[in-house]
Amino acid sequence: MQCIRRQPKRSVSEENILREQSRRVAELNGTRLGLKDDKDLKFLLKGSQLLKVKSGSWRKERFYKLQEDCKTIWQESKKMLRSPESQIFSIEDIRDVRSGHKTEGMEKYAKDVPEYRCFSIVFKDQRKNLDLIASSEDDANHWISGLGKIIAHSNSMNQKQKLQHWIHTCLRKADKNKDNKMSLKELKNFLKEVNIEVDDYHAKKIFQHCDKSKTEALEDDEIEEFYKILTERKEIDKIFQKYSDAEGFMSCQNLVRFLYETQQEEDAVVAAPALIQKYEPNERAKRGNAMTKDGFLMYLLSDDGNIFNSSHRKVYQDMTQPLSHYLVSSSHNTYLMEDQLTGPSSTEAYIRALTKGCRCVELDCWDGPNSEPVIYHGYTLTSKILFSDVIKAIKNYAFKTSPYPVIISLENHCSVDQQKVMAQHMTTILQDMLLVAPVDGNKSQFPSPEQLKGKILVKGKKLSRQEDPTGTNGNNNLEAEDVSDEDEAAEIEDESVKTEIQQKGKSDTLKLAKELSDTVIYCKSVHFDGFEDPSHPRAFYEMSSFTESKALKLAQESGTSFVHHNIRHLSRIYPAGWRTDSSNYNPIDMWNVGCQIVALNFQTAGTEMDVYQGRFQDNGFSGYVLKPEFLRDEQTKFNPKSITEGTWGTKKKLLLKIISGQQLPKVNKSKNSIVDPKVTVEIHGIQQDNNKKQTKVIENNGFNPTWDEEFTFDIEIPALALVRFVVEDFDMSTKNDFIGQYTLPFTSLKQGYRHIHLLTKNGDPYSSSTLFVYIDIQDCD
């Protein structure tokens, strides 16, 4: 039987001292965030009772409080045996704080409560939303405003401030008796907390070096000394020394030399003084137009020292070309939160996809009760949501991340009456956003993303004898007629689905209502019956959908024809029916032949989604990326499966050095678990360019591992290549655990010494986990 050792009871004076220390720590952290004496922050630190809403019958009062670190929230729980860690969540895990009834939970279960008392915390990962009701409008405002400020101020902290905040939080955590001192035992616990294993001899050596007062405990300046030793970056000191003088200053002239020679910055003369003013913390150095080691480190950790070209964070490509000339960020079965057979459908899935830059969302529409169409994965047990609720969500979030057009891809299985309801909902809810007529009378080719800014297009079936989308011919009096039914749900490779289809008796045609047909302007769905005969060209607005296997077969057997098809027409690719677990296919092969709408399951993390988000972080995260010239040229002979001489761009040699890592997160939350990191560098592009190389494993050090390993890659077609950096925790007996990754287009790489800011498996940034690398790109002879 395990004995539980009780903590000795503290006296009133001890409690008061601890309370005062806690208040001071909270005040210091508030100041670090730039929120000194902020009323909302003070309210959150004090905490308050809130009603937690889970269902129509579950609404219970719980106490919520911001911890003294100003980065975690403690929530009261009535569950037995719940671990202390499970009662805490981090501010960094919050994606959004929404006021009012802005989530499905609030919409369903809190309509009886005034909106001004309601708010929801939406998390970055797959965690359920936290729906809360405050006792008053003031309390709700304190929480909404306070959390919003903390998130905004945390995001605006530089890397050095984030590191300092994190380390001081870990120090506080390791100080078990809260005496603001650190014993040798507490120092060892702290090192494990920050993901580094140090043997007793080295831990004691560090401790004795810092313990100047010889009191067997570190405090104040001694703890700061320990912090400096811990955060020393010898690899950066070495670079700095090469360009600095004996006094430890890098002159503006030497900074220009470093930027030009090493970082390959063409505007080095203009950039250097600006970087000194922006990142140098020492006023004396700043006045002397010079940089100290601290300023140099801050520059390298900043956006200007990032591996991703910061000028690509805004829209920089030509956005006036026809829509078919762009890759479009697209989601498959957008309504699903999990798998394809039994998982929940949710409007939240649309919000998440749209805020991740998605520009083409899918709606599978079926007849619902009370004459209201519903969305779900037909023939399966996935839950159902109202078509009207999805259209409202699209309206509210379509243009929050990008101003460029959103395409609603309709898979319509509804009766004529409910199709009319669908058309009515889109018209009345979307209003001016819905494109209902050709832009500027354009009847020969697609308008551009620039012309379609702020517009929502509908992709779907069109009545064949009705007026065509560009208004050039046809009979406009037709009310409804049969059109072919392209039923993707029927392709699912699952026995229960096949049985359901057999019982219902599936028809190959569907009666289409004129009202719904009228909403389709530029994206008319047609069955693909081969690449067009030049003597009988197909209308530009006709587009086809292909399963991944069909598209791959076309790409392999008729690559150049597929490229030509995709210059003038849109192509949509979707996952194979056997992917009932919502896994994804490789989008690269589809992009390489110019397919635009390559739809993936956004809810499923993995290499494919990393590559996808890597491609679309380019061009300002707008959801539209201009295809290379050789995928847009009517005379092109490009075929990714058979590369011949052509104007595909200069071949490149990528020389890459993986130098070190910083503050890699723990994979296993156990105190004694330390990661053994290794880095893999992958090239994703045409077949000849696909490659991967990996570093050695560094044992027991996730805090500051050093590799110093060099790799070389030959890149045949740079415009189609992406580079992915993956960090894993090596395990001899089981599959390696994922730690973090970062993927970017080859053409967005910056040269020289750069930091890579790692992302979680869901694509969200870690606060201070980085890799430090050296990049050199050369033309191949």
Side-chain angles (χ1 to χ4, degrees):
M1 183 178 168
Q2 188 182 8
C3 294
I4 297 172
R5 195 177 64 166
R6 289 184 178 275
Q7 290 285 337
K9 198 173 178 190
R10 297 190 183 100
S11 66
V12 174
S13 61
E14 285 174 329
E15 286 288 349
N16 287 339
I17 289 166
L18 283 174
R19 204 173 287 120
E20 178 56 25
Q21 283 175 352
S22 179
R23 187 195 63 77
R24 267 197 247 134
V25 169
E27 194 175 280
L28 177 65
N29 286 323
T31 303
R32 280 193 185 122
L33 279 170
L35 293 172
K36 189 181 178 185
D37 297 329
D38 184 85
K39 285 178 186 175
D40 294 322
L41 185 71
K42 283 181 177 177
F43 179 88
L44 267 58
L45 287 162
K46 191 177 172 186
S48 76
Q49 295 285 352
L50 295 167
L51 275 178
K52 184 176 178 179
V53 181
K54 275 191 177 181
S55 69
S57 58
W58 200 105
R59 194 185 281 188
K60 296 183 180 176
E61 199 169 67
R62 296 286 183 262
F63 188 75
Y64 289 82
K65 178 185 183 298
L66 180 68
Q67 304 271 82
E68 63 192 27
D69 61 6
C70 294
K71 59 186 285 188
T72 51
I73 288 172
W74 180 83
Q75 51 185 337
E76 178 191 9
S77 174
K78 304 287 185 183
K79 284 181 184 173
M80 295 293 288
L81 304 175
R82 187 167 179 183
S83 67
E85 288 78 19
S86 66
Q87 289 183 252
I88 289 170
F89 63 85
S90 172
I91 297 283
E92 286 169 12
D93 295 336
I94 299 174
R95 182 180 300 284
D96 195 11
V97 182
R98 297 183 198 154
S99 60
H101 304 142
K102 301 267 174 51
T103 62
E104 278 181 323
M106 281 302 201
E107 189 75 30
K108 277 184 191 172
Y109 311 126
K111 277 292 196 181
D112 59 312
V113 182
E115 283 210 69
Y116 56 73
R117 282 176 51 205
C118 300
F119 67 99
S120 301
I121 293 173
V122 180
F123 294 100
K124 288 178 179 174
D125 51 26
Q126 300 299 325
R127 214 181 322 181
K128 286 181 180 173
N129 298 338
L130 185 55
D131 293 322
L132 300 163
I133 299 170
S135 57
S136 68
E137 183 177 4
D138 279 352
D139 282 12
N141 287 339
H142 278 309
W143 278 102
I144 296 162
S145 178
L147 289 172
K149 285 178 198 171
I150 296 169
I151 292 166
H153 284 255
S154 295
N155 290 342
S156 65
M157 286 168 88
N158 62 46
Q159 286 297 120
K160 197 172 178 188
Q161 287 170 324
K162 285 178 183 175
L163 173 60
Q164 191 178 29
H165 193 170
W166 176 67
I167 285 182
H168 280 279
T169 301
C170 291
L171 283 166
R172 182 85 180 150
K173 211 170 174 181
D175 182 13
K176 296 294 180 192
N177 60 0
K178 305 297 177 199
D179 62 355
N180 279 353
K181 297 176 184 177
M182 188 180 283
S183 65
L184 178 57
K185 186 182 176 184
E186 287 173 332
L187 179 133
K188 285 186 200 170
N189 287 338
F190 165 78
L191 290 171
K192 284 178 181 170
E193 188 70 40
V194 299
N195 214 355
I196 184 168
E197 182 74 71
V198 178
D199 60 40
D200 287 354
Y201 171 77
H202 280 100
K204 197 168 184 182
K205 202 173 170 188
I206 295 169
F207 186 82
Q208 287 172 341
H209 173 81
C210 297
D211 185 19
K212 310 287 187 196
S213 59
K214 309 294 179 199
T215 57
E216 297 296 312
L218 306 185
E219 49 188 315
D220 302 330
D221 292 345
E222 295 169 339
I223 290 175
E224 285 302 314
E225 175 71 15
F226 171 62
Y227 168 80
K228 279 179 187 169
I229 291 169
L230 198 65
T231 55
E232 201 172 24
R233 294 283 302 273
K234 288 179 181 173
E235 73 276 36
I236 287 177
D237 292 352
K238 201 171 163 185
I239 303 162
F240 184 77
Q241 281 163 12
K242 190 180 170 186
Y243 291 90
S244 60
D245 59 26
E247 287 184 40
F249 291 105
M250 185 189 285
S251 68
C252 186
Q253 192 177 352
N254 280 351
L255 179 58
V256 168
R257 196 159 60 87
F258 169 75
L259 293 173
Y260 188 73
E261 292 173 359
T262 307
Q263 304 296 80
Q264 303 290 305
E265 300 283 7
E266 291 176 8
D267 61 346
V269 175
V270 176
L275 291 175
I276 290 169
Q277 292 306 310
K278 196 171 179 181
Y279 300 114
E280 179 50 57
N282 183 308
E283 287 301 323
R284 182 185 152 212
K286 205 186 269 189
R287 283 195 300 273
N289 207 16
M291 200 173 244
T292 62
K293 191 164 68 179
D294 279 350
F296 187 62
L297 175 60
M298 284 174 77
Y299 149 65
L300 285 174
L301 282 167
S302 75
D303 215 32
D304 290 300
N306 200 309
I307 192 169
F308 184 79
N309 189 333
S310 60
S311 68
H312 292 189
R313 289 196 196 284
K314 55 182 185 290
V315 174
Y316 68 96
Q317 295 175 343
D318 177 8
M319 299 302 281
T320 63
Q321 303 217 14
L323 202 64
S324 54
H325 287 194
Y326 299 82
L327 305 181
V328 184
S329 179
S330 308
S331 157
H332 170 250
N333 288 355
T334 314
Y335 47 89
L336 293 177
M337 298 287 280
E338 294 168 14
D339 65 77
Q340 305 284 310
L341 297 174
T342 60
S345 303
S346 173
T347 54
E348 193 62 46
Y350 286 91
I351 295 168
R352 289 183 182 186
L354 290 165
T355 51
K356 279 186 173 180
C358 179
R359 299 288 85 194
C360 178
V361 294
E362 188 176 357
L363 284 69
D364 284 3
C365 311
W366 300 77
D367 279 359
N370 307 316
S371 301
E372 281 294 339
V374 293
I375 290 172
Y376 83 111
H377 205 194
Y379 318 113
T380 72
L381 298 174
T382 56
S383 64
K384 299 171 182 178
I385 48 178
L386 287 175
F387 177 84
S388 58
D389 286 346
V390 170
I391 298 300
K392 285 173 193 168
I394 292 170
K395 179 194 177 180
N396 292 333
Y397 288 88
F399 305 110
K400 283 192 183 292
T401 299
S402 165
Y404 293 101
V406 167
I407 300 168
I408 291 177
S409 179
L410 291 182
E411 189 173 310
N412 167 31
H413 306 278
C414 291
S415 61
V416 169
D417 285 345
Q418 293 214 12
Q419 288 177 41
K420 291 177 181 178
V421 175
M422 286 166 61
Q424 187 183 6
H425 282 321
M426 287 194 286
T427 308
T428 55
I429 294 168
L430 298 176
Q431 296 178 338
D432 291 348
M433 287 182 181
L434 184 67
L435 188 77
V436 291
V439 175
D440 298 337
N442 198 336
K443 297 174 185 178
S444 58
Q445 65 173 15
F446 283 107
S448 68
E450 189 63 34
Q451 288 174 298
L452 292 167
K453 260 185 177 176
K455 289 294 181 185
I456 294 173
L457 286 68
V458 176
K459 170 201 163 291
K461 290 288 178 181
K462 190 85 179 160
L463 294 176
S464 58
R465 287 175 297 158
Q466 189 206 349
E467 191 171 31
D468 74 41
T470 58
T472 52
N473 58 52
N475 170 12
N476 203 24
N477 299 318
L478 202 66
E479 286 305 313
E481 73 168 13
D482 287 341
V483 293
S484 63
D485 181 18
E486 294 177 6
D487 189 353
E488 291 172 21
E491 297 170 19
I492 295 177
E493 292 181 22
D494 179 79
E495 287 308 314
S496 59
V497 170
K498 287 175 182 173
T499 306
E500 179 81 6
I501 293 167
Q502 282 170 358
Q503 287 172 353
K504 286 190 175 178
K506 185 183 170 308
S507 169
D508 290 335
T509 60
L510 171 86
K511 203 165 275 296
L512 179 66
K514 177 183 176 295
E515 289 84 349
L516 191 60
S517 175
D518 285 344
T519 64
V520 177
I521 305 300
Y522 285 116
C523 302
K524 178 185 176 182
S525 296
V526 297
H527 180 71
F528 181 75
D529 51 12
F531 295 118
E532 68 184 52
D533 177 352
S535 60
H536 297 91
R538 189 182 293 135
F540 74 90
Y541 50 78
E542 292 185 347
M543 63 175 289
S544 301
S545 292
F546 308 85
T547 64
E548 57 176 282
S549 48
K550 171 77 171 170
L552 202 54
K553 191 169 186 285
L554 288 170
Q556 286 170 337
E557 295 175 0
S558 315
T560 306
S561 297
F562 211 172
V563 168
H564 276 273
H565 175 83
N566 289 324
I567 292 170
R568 195 155 175 267
H569 300 277
L570 291 172
S571 289
R572 175 178 165 270
I573 320 298
Y574 61 94
W578 58 265
R579 294 186 185 275
T580 55
D581 59 349
S582 294
S583 60
N584 281 313
Y585 57 93
N586 181 2
I588 298 278
D589 296 318
M590 316 305 171
W591 290 334
N592 288 350
V593 288
C595 296
Q596 305 87 348
I597 301 175
V598 179
L600 292 199
N601 293 305
F602 267 50
Q603 74 273 33
T604 306
T607 304
E608 297 81 11
M609 203 62 213
D610 293 343
V611 167
Y612 205 84
Q613 290 298 83
R615 169 57 72 202
F616 285 106
Q617 70 165 317
D618 193 10
N619 201 31
F621 200 52
S622 64
Y624 284 85
V625 171
L626 186 65
K627 293 193 277 188
E629 173 65 32
F630 56 81
L631 291 180
R632 296 181 275 124
D633 178 10
E634 298 277 2
Q635 308 304 315
T636 190
K637 292 182 172 62
F638 181 74
N639 183 349
K641 297 296 172 191
S642 174
I643 299 297
T644 54
E645 289 301 314
T647 55
W648 326 134
T650 310
K651 296 177 189 175
K652 302 286 182 182
K653 189 179 284 293
L654 171 63
L655 305 168
L656 192 110
K657 187 176 186 181
I658 305 291
I659 302 170
S660 60
Q662 295 76 39
Q663 294 88 56
L664 303 179
K666 277 191 172 199
V667 175
N668 184 333
K669 296 300 178 187
S670 156
K671 187 176 81 171
N672 294 316
S673 172
I674 310 293
V675 301
D676 304 321
K678 71 162 194 169
V679 181
T680 304
V681 184
E682 303 169 352
I683 306 295
H684 297 262
I686 61 162
Q687 205 165 344
Q688 293 97 308
D689 289 344
N690 291 340
N691 202 347
K692 68 161 72 170
K693 295 179 182 180
Q694 57 192 40
T695 66
K696 60 181 177 284
V697 176
I698 303 293
E699 291 186 358
N700 291 326
N701 188 352
F703 184 74
N704 54 5
T706 299
W707 291 279
D708 270 334
E709 290 188 58
E710 294 182 5
F711 304 113
T712 304
F713 297 93
D714 290 324
I715 312 291
E716 188 92 18
I717 313 282
L720 297 179
L722 290 106
V723 188
R724 182 173 183 250
F725 298 85
V726 194
V727 188
E728 293 176 306
D729 180 13
F730 177 75
D731 197 306
M732 191 83 74
S733 55
T734 60
K735 189 183 173 195
N736 295 338
D737 287 317
F738 175 90
I739 292 175
Q741 71 84 32
Y742 188 77
T743 308
L744 74 164
F746 181 86
T747 51
S748 294
L749 280 171
K750 290 289 279 183
Q751 297 190 67
Y753 290 102
R754 301 287 169 178
H755 276 98
I756 297 169
H757 295 260
L758 295 172
L759 305 177
T760 67
K761 68 176 181 183
N762 291 310
D764 298 306
Y766 283 116
S767 62
S768 51
S769 299
T770 52
L771 291 178
F772 187 52
V773 300
Y774 178 76
I775 306 277
D776 185 27
I777 299 170
Q778 299 172 0
D779 291 347
C780 286
D781 297 330

